Amino acid sequence: MEGQSYLTSPEELGEIQSFIERQRPDNTKKKTMYDIKVIKRYFESIYETREIENIPATELNVQLAKVFMNVRKRNGNVYESTSLKDFQRSLQRYLNDKSSTMNILQDQVFAKSREVHIAKKRELVQQHAKGNRPQACRELTTAEEDKFFELGLFGKHDPEVLQRTVWWVLSLHFGFRARDESRKLKWGDVSISKDPETGSELLLWKAKRAQATHNERCPVQLYRAFSQHRPDEMKQLDSSFFLAINHRRQPGSQIWYNKAPLGKNENGKFLLKAAKAAKLSGNITNPSVRKTCISRLMDADIPENYVAQLSGHKNLKSLDSYKSASTAHQRKMSFVFVQEPRLLPQTKRQFNQMNHNIVSNNKTFPTPTSLQSNACFQGKQFKDRRLSFQLFSQREQKSDQSSRSTFCQKKACYLER
């Protein structure tokens, strides 16, 4: 009736909340549960037994400040500053799910806990050297991607290699969230279409495009090869996209895969196995493909709002975590300190080509003659993509050799061949 208020039943609210949770990525669910468990464990240690959503805002503000100041891992180690930020976000999701009106990220009543969080970040950097996340996964460089193709870890010649390559290329072009979206991908979700303007072929997924490139990394060619080697029964619209490998197939059989989806554990090892086989350093796992996708687009000066459309980020601020200085960026910065314009790339293409050449060649770098008017460099063997040099002036070089202990040491000074 007009003017009559409608009371929402608990059952209706529960149905709405269930719908929201079903659409939430699995990794987000797991992360939220883990972070809330950590917070509750700390609350129990200070004898706070109330449910978080039932604690008044003024008291919760104080308790959160204590969490940021004192919470530690079970082994006694401190958390990374990014983990503390994750605790904030997970707690806000938890409060939203509990229909709480509190907003710990914006409400003035929680200003003190936010100040403590900022102060704790400074302490972690100063006292514990935390903040750079050395164990976080890293992106794959173009030279390392080339190496995968050269070693046969990417390609179309083998069922495991083909499936890994299709996953890599689609994840790059479509901005997949590592294992989550690729594991849920159905065969009917991806289709071949044509560009209405150029007439060239492309792959489509949720209005995102992967243009044909007509080389070994061509998304369309890889998709067709993958289609040829899968059973006809697994080409239905609702069939799983990635399939278990048929290790008992007859010799010469062109059907490489079973009529069953690839297990989530195998799905999560796509990049890890390849990185180990190629003996790459650093933490390279499936999430590296997303970091590679976003980092390459941002390095190419693609507008951030375009990148966010591809990656699915709702807040452009979230892209800041992908702006960390890669090895290539550190190399470029080192050239700046050399103060030799000849070594500095003038365009992004020159920078990328120079970086590719340096990383691809495992050689000893000779001293550039143009630098010897100002300084002399004593190079060491190229190892793990870094060079270490001793830097000293010509005047000091002419002095007694025993004075070399006073020479200035410069680490990671990268030079072109």
Side-chain angles (χ1 to χ4, degrees):
M1 295 179 60
E2 185 177 354
Q4 182 176 358
S5 61
Y6 179 76
L7 297 178
T8 304
S9 67
E11 291 76 14
E12 289 176 309
L13 288 175
E15 184 179 348
I16 293 172
Q17 184 60 37
S18 296
F19 173 79
I20 294 173
E21 292 181 0
R22 285 197 302 271
Q23 306 309 312
R24 186 173 289 167
D26 289 342
N27 287 343
T28 302
K29 296 177 187 176
K30 293 177 182 178
K31 178 61 175 170
T32 302
M33 291 177 60
Y34 172 81
D35 291 345
I36 295 302
K37 186 176 180 180
V38 172
I39 294 173
K40 287 185 174 181
R41 187 174 71 236
Y42 178 78
F43 279 1
E44 290 175 0
S45 71
I46 58 174
Y47 307 103
E48 175 57 77
T49 58
R50 289 173 291 181
E51 293 295 333
I52 298 176
E53 66 273 19
N54 295 331
I55 302 176
T58 53
E59 296 181 40
L60 183 58
N61 176 49
V62 175
Q63 303 293 50
L64 281 180
K66 293 179 180 179
V67 170
F68 295 141
M69 287 191 298
N70 304 318
V71 70
R72 286 178 176 261
K73 300 178 182 179
R74 288 186 181 274
N75 61 6
N77 293 337
V78 296
Y79 283 98
E80 289 278 354
S81 59
T82 51
S83 296
L84 299 183
K85 186 65 177 179
D86 290 340
F87 292 163
Q88 273 188 320
R89 294 169 178 166
S90 293
L91 180 55
Q92 187 58 55
R93 279 194 295 270
Y94 173 85
L95 292 173
N96 293 342
D97 292 344
K98 296 296 183 179
S99 300
S100 172
T101 59
M102 292 185 290
N103 190 324
I104 64 172
L105 302 176
Q106 296 181 358
D107 290 350
Q108 182 60 33
V109 69
F110 291 99
K112 185 60 64 176
S113 63
R114 293 195 294 269
E115 290 179 16
V116 171
H117 173 251
I118 294 173
K120 186 64 177 181
K121 286 175 63 177
R122 296 195 197 100
E123 180 190 88
L124 290 172
V125 172
Q126 295 171 0
Q127 298 185 14
H128 303 281
K130 294 286 185 178
N132 291 325
R133 302 186 67 189
Q135 300 303 320
C137 72
R138 68 171 180 85
E139 72 275 13
L140 209 65
T141 67
T142 54
E144 290 169 338
E145 185 180 0
D146 292 342
K147 186 176 183 179
F148 278 8
F149 278 99
E150 293 167 2
L151 296 177
L153 299 169
F154 278 165
K156 298 185 289 187
H157 58 280
D158 175 86
E160 181 179 357
V161 171
L162 174 59
Q163 189 155 237
R164 178 191 297 129
T165 310
V166 170
W167 169 83
W168 170 261
V169 170
L170 295 188
S171 298
L172 275 183
H173 286 266
F174 295 145
F176 283 164
R177 287 181 174 88
R179 184 172 67 181
D180 189 56
E181 284 180 329
S182 60
R183 184 168 57 86
K184 295 179 179 178
L185 190 67
K186 302 298 183 182
W187 184 250
D189 294 339
V190 180
S191 60
I192 296 179
S193 184
K194 282 196 173 183
D195 190 311
E197 296 182 4
T198 65
S200 61
E201 290 186 315
L202 52 87
L203 292 184
L204 282 179
W205 175 73
K206 292 184 178 180
K208 298 178 182 180
R209 303 150 59 103
Q211 295 287 157
T213 56
H214 306 293
N215 59 15
E216 62 181 353
R217 307 171 200 213
C218 176
V220 176
Q221 291 182 11
L222 289 167
Y223 176 85
R224 283 205 169 101
F226 192 45
S227 176
Q228 292 171 1
H229 292 296
R230 60 191 291 131
D232 290 336
E233 295 87 343
M234 300 306 291
K235 296 180 183 179
Q236 305 301 315
L237 296 181
D238 60 347
S239 299
S240 295
F241 193 91
F242 296 104
L243 303 176
I245 298 174
N246 182 4
H247 295 286
R248 298 182 179 180
R249 63 185 182 278
Q250 295 296 322
S253 174
Q254 292 303 302
I255 304 302
W256 291 351
Y257 305 99
N258 284 323
K259 302 173 186 178
L262 184 68
K264 66 177 184 179
N265 291 333
E266 287 301 314
N267 190 304
K269 297 177 182 177
F270 275 138
L271 209 54
L272 178 63
K273 293 174 69 174
K276 286 185 177 179
K279 298 180 180 180
L280 298 185
S281 60
N283 188 14
I284 300 177
T285 57
N286 274 16
S288 295
V289 69
R290 183 167 171 82
K291 196 162 189 176
T292 302
C293 166
I294 298 173
S295 298
R296 288 186 184 179
L297 292 176
M298 296 181 73
D299 288 346
D301 294 331
I302 301 298
E304 290 188 357
N305 57 319
Y306 294 172
V307 178
Q309 288 177 28
L310 178 67
S311 66
H313 285 98
K314 296 179 181 179
N315 191 338
L316 296 182
K317 192 69 176 175
S318 300
L319 297 176
D320 289 348
S321 60
Y322 296 92
K323 294 179 180 178
S324 58
S326 65
T327 303
H329 290 118
Q330 294 178 49
R331 183 178 298 113
K332 182 179 179 180
M333 290 187 287
S334 186
F335 284 139
V336 173
F337 297 135
V338 175
Q339 298 184 14
E340 176 57 53
R342 184 181 64 82
L343 295 177
L344 290 174
Q346 302 303 311
T347 66
K348 187 173 291 292
R349 174 173 294 188
Q350 291 174 355
F351 169 61
N352 291 335
Q353 183 61 45
M354 178 181 63
N355 176 55
H356 182 277
N357 291 341
I358 292 177
V359 174
S360 299
N361 294 288
N362 185 13
K363 300 177 180 179
T364 302
F365 286 57
T367 303
T369 56
S370 61
L371 291 179
Q372 292 186 0
S373 59
N374 297 319
C376 295
F377 290 80
Q378 182 176 350
K380 293 185 179 180
Q381 181 68 29
F382 185 85
K383 184 178 181 181
D384 194 22
R385 305 189 310 282
R386 287 180 179 271
L387 291 176
S388 179
F389 288 88
Q390 290 182 320
L391 174 62
F392 50 91
S393 68
Q394 281 190 331
R395 182 177 58 186
E396 289 174 321
Q397 184 187 26
K398 293 178 181 179
S399 64
D400 181 58
Q401 296 297 315
S402 62
S403 65
R404 286 202 176 187
S405 60
T406 63
F407 296 158
C408 176
Q409 302 292 321
K410 293 291 183 181
K411 287 187 177 180
C413 184
Y414 297 96
L415 301 175
E416 67 178 6
R417 289 191 299 157

